[in-house]
Amino acid sequence: MNKSAKKGISLLLATSVLASPFVLVPNAAHALTVEEVSADDTGVDEQTEYTIEFEIDKELKAGGTITVKFPSGYEVDKNLKKKDVTLEDDYGDKIAIYSVDATKTTVDIEVDEKIKKGTTLVLTIDKVTNPDEKGSYSIGVKTSAENTFKNEKISIGKSSSSSSSSGKFGVSLSNKDTGAATSLTLGKISLASKTKLKEGKYIYVNFPTKDMLPKSISKSDVRVNGEKVDYLSILSNNTVRIEIPSRVDGDNYIDVEFSKSAGIVNPSKADKYYTFIIEYDDKEYKSKDVEVTGSSSSSSSFSVGMSDYKAGARASYTFDLELSERLYSNTDIQIDFPTADMVPPVLSAYNVTVNGDQVSNLSTSGSRVSFRTPSGFKTTDSVTIRFTQDAYITNPRTAGFYNITAKVDGKTYRSKDFQITGAAAPTPVTVDNSLATIGLTRATASTPAGLQIGIKGLGVSIPRAQGFVEVVLPVGFRAPAYLPANTVTVNGVAANYVGVRGQNLIIYPSQDIPAQTAVQVNIAETAGIVNPATAGVYSIGVYTSEEKGLLFARPTTIVALNGVSFKVDVASFTKSGKTTALAVAPYTVNGNTLIPTTFYRDALGFQITYTKTTAKVVSGSTVMNFKVGSNVATINGQNVTLPAAVQLKNNIPTLPLKTIADRTGYKIIYVNGNYTVYK
C-alpha cells in the first residue's frame, strides 16, 4: 500500500507557519497529528516497509528525535540503519537524519536539521515484520518536543487488492516512443462495492518507472473524472498523490488524465509489460499491460555537452534542443539540474546564453535555474542553451548516470543520461572551530566595515574556483550588489570570484584549501559592506559548500555612531562619520596601546592639559596625572601602575588607552589592529 496521508495540510497552513520565538502555552493547544499509517505489504508475518505521515505542532530542533512505537506482535530489525529510513516533508524535500536506533518494537530517529512546527512529515521505515495474527493494530508516533504518542490503526492480514469491473483498467498514451513526452489517461476504473470518492481523500497513481515523472506537475495539467484538481504532489516512490476535488465527491469511478504539458515522459527502455497501479481507500487497481516501443523520434530527449565529466568538477554545460513549438523572445525557460549542490547560490545572467544571446530575468532556487529569452530573440524551434565555465556549475559529487530536465514555455524536455566519472565525495573529518573568530574592522553603526574571519579548520577540502565559503550577514547589514574579487582575500590571495545573494557573501578561493587547514578570509572596507544602523549584538554565520550545516557563528557588537574608531599606526580617528587627524598615530608597546593626549580631548571630550613632561586628564570626578617616562600615574590621589610607561612623541605625551578607558567607563572593541572605543 502507499505511503502518505489520508488528509493533507492546506497550502495556507504550510506557508504561514514561520520560524518565531517559542512561547509556552497549555499542552492542549499542541498535538502531533498522525495523518496515515500504511505498509507496502499488510500480510501477516511479512517483512515490509512502513510509511507514516504526521504533522508536528511544535518545532523540532536539530538533534531532536522522532519515535515510532509498534505494538506487541511486531518486530523491528535491531540492525536498522540510516539507509533503511527516509524522512521528507509533504512536498518531497528530504530532511537529514543524523542517527537511527531500533529496539524490537521502537525506532528512534535523530534529525540533523530544524523542522518548523506545522510541518507535515512522511517517514518510511524498512525491515519491519508484521504480526503473525490478523487484526487491527495501533502504531504510535511522538517527537522529543511532544508530550505523548499519537496513534493510527492499520489492518494486518486483510486483502487490499481489488480491480475494476472489467478486471484491469485501460491506459491511453498519446505517444508510445521511449523517452517521449506524452499525455496519459488512466481508466475508467469502477470502484469496489459501496466505495465512493470523498472530497479531501487521496488517489495515488503509481508509475511503472521513476524516470517518467518530472520534478513537479502543475495542478492545471491533471483532471479527475473531468474536473481540475486542487492539490497534488509527487512522492519519492514513483507516485503522484492527487487530492479528490469537491466536484467529484460521491462518484463511484476514477478516470485520471494528465495533459502533455504535465511533463510526463515514457520509460527510457522499450517493453510490452508496463503497468500502472491506482490506489484509493486501501484498495489497489491494476492497469492492463502497456507497450512502449522503440527509440523516441521526438525532440524531448536532448544531449548534454560538458567541458569536464569528473565528479565534483566545475564545468560548462551545453544543451541542444529540438522544440515541439517555436520559441520567441521573453519566453520562460527552466533548467532542473540533478542535484541542488550543482547550482551556485549566485549565478549571473552574463554566463547563460540561448542561441548565443544573453538571457534575462535569471534566478535560482535549489537545483533549478529560471530565466527568459531576451527581447529581440530570433524565433526558432532549434535551441542551444549554454552555461559557461564562469557560471560555476559543478558536477554531481558522486559518480553515476544523471539527466537534466528543461521546461520551455511550459513544455518539458528531458535529456539523455550522461555519465559522471570519478570517486565519491570525501567523508568529512572532525575539526574544532570553537576558537574560530569573526571581527569587524569598525564597530560603529551605519559605518562601512571590513570583516576578518578566522576558520580554525575545514572538515572537507575546498577546491579552487569550485567550492566556496559563504558568510551570512544578519538583517541590518547592507551588502552591495557586487563585490570586486580583489577586495576579498582567502589566506592572503585575492578571491577567484565573489557573489552576493541578499545578505550572503559567496567567496570562491583561487587556491585549493585542504581539509583541516586554517582559513583566513579578509574582506576590505572598500568592499562596501555597511554596519546596521541600530546598535546591538548581531550574529554572523560561516558555511562552506563542501560541508553540511553551519560551520560556526560569532556575535559582533555594533555600537552607536558616536563611538570612536581608529587604527594602530594611522594618525586619525573617525567619529560620527567624520575623520579627524591626530598629531601622533596610535601605536603599541609590548601589546599595550598608547594614544596621544589630544585624542582624549578631541575624540572623547575629556579635559586635558599637558607639557613635554606631564599630562593631566579629567573626566567628570576622575582626575588622572601622568609623567613622561614613568609607569606610575596618580588617579584621584592614588598611585596606579601602568601597563606601559608614558612616552613623548612629537612633543605630545602618549598615554595607555586601557587604563584611561577602564577608569572612565569606556569599552574597547579590538580586531586585528582596528579599535572602537564606546560607552
Side-chain angles (χ1 to χ4, degrees):
M1 294 301 296
N2 216 294
K3 311 167 181 172
S4 208
K6 289 181 178 178
K7 189 173 183 179
I9 185 170
S10 71
L11 288 178
L12 176 61
L13 179 58
T15 55
S16 65
V17 180
L18 303 177
S20 59
F22 178 77
V23 179
L24 185 64
V25 297
N27 290 335
H30 294 276
L32 179 149
T33 304
V34 181
E35 305 274 337
E36 183 180 52
V37 173
S38 61
D40 277 357
D41 191 333
T42 55
V44 296
D45 203 28
E46 293 289 343
Q47 188 178 84
T48 186
E49 182 180 74
Y50 268 77
T51 299
I52 303 147
E53 182 161 347
F54 58 98
E55 178 188 339
I56 62 172
D57 202 39
K58 289 187 179 180
E59 178 185 285
L60 189 60
K61 296 181 178 179
T65 57
I66 297 169
T67 300
V68 178
K69 187 175 182 181
F70 292 89
S72 176
Y74 276 86
E75 185 171 348
V76 179
D77 190 330
K78 292 182 180 179
N79 296 317
L80 201 69
K81 306 294 184 183
K82 282 172 58 176
K83 67 180 181 180
D84 302 318
V85 178
T86 61
L87 182 65
E88 300 177 347
D89 63 21
D90 202 34
Y91 298 96
D93 294 327
K94 287 190 175 180
I95 294 171
I97 294 174
Y98 180 76
S99 66
V100 172
D101 185 39
T103 65
K104 184 175 181 180
T105 58
T106 303
V107 180
D108 290 312
I109 299 111
E110 182 178 350
V111 299
D112 201 24
E113 60 183 277
K114 182 177 73 174
I115 307 175
K116 296 177 181 179
K117 70 174 185 177
T119 301
T120 298
L121 300 172
V122 180
L123 172 65
T124 64
I125 305 172
D126 203 0
K127 299 182 180 178
V128 178
T129 302
N130 293 334
D132 56 10
E133 294 184 4
K134 296 180 180 181
S136 180
Y137 294 84
S138 292
I139 296 173
V141 184
K142 70 180 289 292
T143 75
S144 54
E146 309 281 348
N147 293 324
T148 59
F149 282 95
K150 296 297 181 179
N151 300 288
E152 180 68 15
K153 291 184 177 181
I154 186 169
S155 295
I156 298 300
K158 179 181 178 182
S159 174
S160 60
S161 297
S162 182
S163 57
S164 62
S165 58
S166 60
K168 294 182 178 181
F169 64 84
V171 177
S172 175
L173 301 171
S174 63
N175 190 329
K176 292 188 177 183
D177 289 334
T178 55
T182 184
S183 62
L184 173 66
T185 301
L186 305 171
K188 182 178 182 180
I189 303 166
S190 297
L191 298 178
S193 177
K194 299 183 180 179
T195 302
K196 294 183 182 297
L197 296 183
K198 184 176 180 181
E199 176 189 359
K201 296 189 71 173
Y202 286 102
I203 296 168
Y204 303 92
V205 181
N206 299 297
F207 284 72
T209 62
K210 188 174 183 178
D211 61 0
M212 296 184 68
L213 292 175
K215 288 185 177 293
S216 63
I217 297 176
S218 171
K219 63 184 181 182
S220 63
D221 292 324
V222 182
R223 292 177 180 266
V224 173
N225 296 358
E227 299 290 343
K228 288 185 178 180
V229 302
D230 299 317
Y231 176 77
L232 63 85
S233 61
I234 298 177
L235 305 181
S236 61
N237 53 337
N238 309 346
T239 301
V240 176
R241 183 181 65 179
I242 305 169
E243 185 174 342
I244 296 171
S246 60
R247 296 169 295 281
V248 301
D249 187 84
D251 286 358
N252 62 356
Y253 70 94
I254 296 175
D255 188 279
V256 182
E257 301 172 66
F258 295 88
S259 69
K260 189 173 182 179
S261 57
I264 293 169
V265 297
N266 289 331
S268 56
K269 295 181 180 179
D271 201 315
K272 295 181 179 180
Y273 304 106
Y274 287 110
T275 58
F276 294 79
I277 294 175
I278 287 183
E279 299 176 36
Y280 175 67
D281 196 28
D282 291 337
K283 305 292 189 301
E284 290 185 354
Y285 303 85
K286 191 174 182 180
S287 77
K288 298 176 181 178
D289 291 334
V290 179
E291 182 178 10
V292 175
T293 58
S295 299
S296 174
S297 59
S298 73
S299 59
S300 60
S301 294
F302 59 89
S303 298
V304 176
M306 301 160 58
S307 60
D308 194 330
Y309 286 84
K310 293 191 298 293
R314 174 180 159 199
S316 63
Y317 275 72
T318 303
F319 318 130
D320 292 313
L321 287 79
E322 295 297 326
L323 306 180
S324 58
E325 296 182 7
R326 298 182 69 82
L327 182 63
Y328 298 87
S329 61
N330 298 311
T331 301
D332 290 326
I333 298 176
Q334 294 176 353
I335 304 296
D336 282 310
F337 288 89
T339 60
D341 57 4
M342 293 181 65
V343 180
V346 178
L347 179 59
S348 171
Y350 291 107
N351 300 313
V352 184
T353 60
V354 179
N355 289 359
D357 295 328
Q358 179 186 314
V359 303
S360 63
N361 297 88
L362 185 142
S363 63
T364 64
S365 177
S367 61
R368 175 173 294 175
V369 181
S370 303
F371 49 87
R372 289 183 179 178
T373 51
S375 298
F377 179 80
K378 185 177 179 180
T379 301
T380 180
D381 57 6
S382 297
V383 174
T384 297
I385 300 172
R386 178 171 172 77
F387 290 77
T388 70
Q389 187 84 0
D390 289 337
Y392 285 86
I393 303 295
T394 56
N395 294 338
R397 302 185 187 280
T398 303
F401 288 90
Y402 296 86
N403 59 64
I404 289 171
T405 300
K407 194 170 186 178
V408 182
D409 196 21
K411 296 177 176 59
T412 301
Y413 303 83
R414 184 164 299 186
S415 79
K416 299 174 183 176
D417 286 347
F418 59 92
Q419 185 176 13
I420 297 297
T421 61
T427 302
V429 298
T430 301
V431 294
D432 182 5
N433 274 302
S434 59
L435 299 180
T437 59
I438 299 176
L440 296 169
T441 60
R442 296 180 187 269
T444 47
S446 300
T447 304
L451 277 87
Q452 295 169 339
I453 300 166
I455 303 171
K456 292 300 181 182
L458 299 175
V460 179
S461 62
I462 298 179
R464 66 182 181 275
Q466 179 178 314
F468 56 84
V469 175
E470 183 168 7
V471 181
V472 180
L473 300 173
V475 174
F477 280 85
R478 290 184 313 208
Y482 168 73
L483 259 72
N486 61 6
T487 64
V488 181
T489 62
V490 181
N491 286 353
V493 180
N496 179 269
Y497 171 74
V498 181
V500 181
R501 180 182 62 177
Q503 300 287 118
N504 299 8
L505 312 179
I506 314 299
I507 302 165
Y508 289 83
S510 297
Q511 72 275 43
D512 293 329
I513 304 178
Q516 297 181 297
T517 301
V519 183
Q520 182 67 38
V521 179
N522 289 336
I523 303 172
E525 292 180 4
T526 54
I529 296 169
V530 179
N531 289 337
T534 304
V537 178
Y538 296 80
S539 180
I540 298 176
V542 177
Y543 298 75
T544 76
S545 58
E546 311 306 299
E547 299 178 66
K548 182 178 180 180
L550 176 71
L551 199 62
F552 65 92
R554 294 291 179 268
T556 56
T557 301
I558 301 298
V559 304
L561 190 57
N562 60 3
V564 181
S565 298
F566 64 90
K567 296 181 179 181
V568 170
D569 298 328
V570 177
S572 65
F573 67 86
T574 301
K575 181 178 181 179
S576 299
K578 180 182 178 182
T579 299
T580 303
L582 288 169
V584 177
Y587 61 99
T588 59
V589 176
N590 296 327
N592 300 290
T593 305
L594 278 75
I595 305 184
T597 305
T598 52
F599 170 86
Y600 300 100
R601 177 192 64 200
D602 299 336
L604 303 183
F606 298 166
Q607 298 176 20
I608 67 164
T609 55
Y610 66 92
T611 67
K612 292 182 180 181
T613 58
T614 63
K616 182 179 180 180
V617 178
V618 179
S619 174
S621 60
T622 302
V623 179
M624 295 170 277
N625 290 285
F626 303 87
K627 291 182 180 180
V628 173
S630 174
N631 68 343
V632 177
T634 302
I635 300 178
N636 288 344
Q638 294 184 343
N639 289 339
V640 175
T641 300
L642 303 176
V646 176
Q647 297 185 10
L648 189 69
K649 296 281 186 180
N650 200 17
N651 293 323
I652 298 176
T654 57
L655 312 178
L657 172 64
K658 188 173 187 310
T659 299
I660 296 176
D662 288 346
R663 300 288 172 161
T664 56
Y666 276 83
K667 297 178 182 178
I668 304 169
I669 295 175
Y670 170 78
V671 180
N672 197 19
N674 302 277
Y675 291 80
T676 300
V677 181
Y678 69 101
K679 196 171 186 178

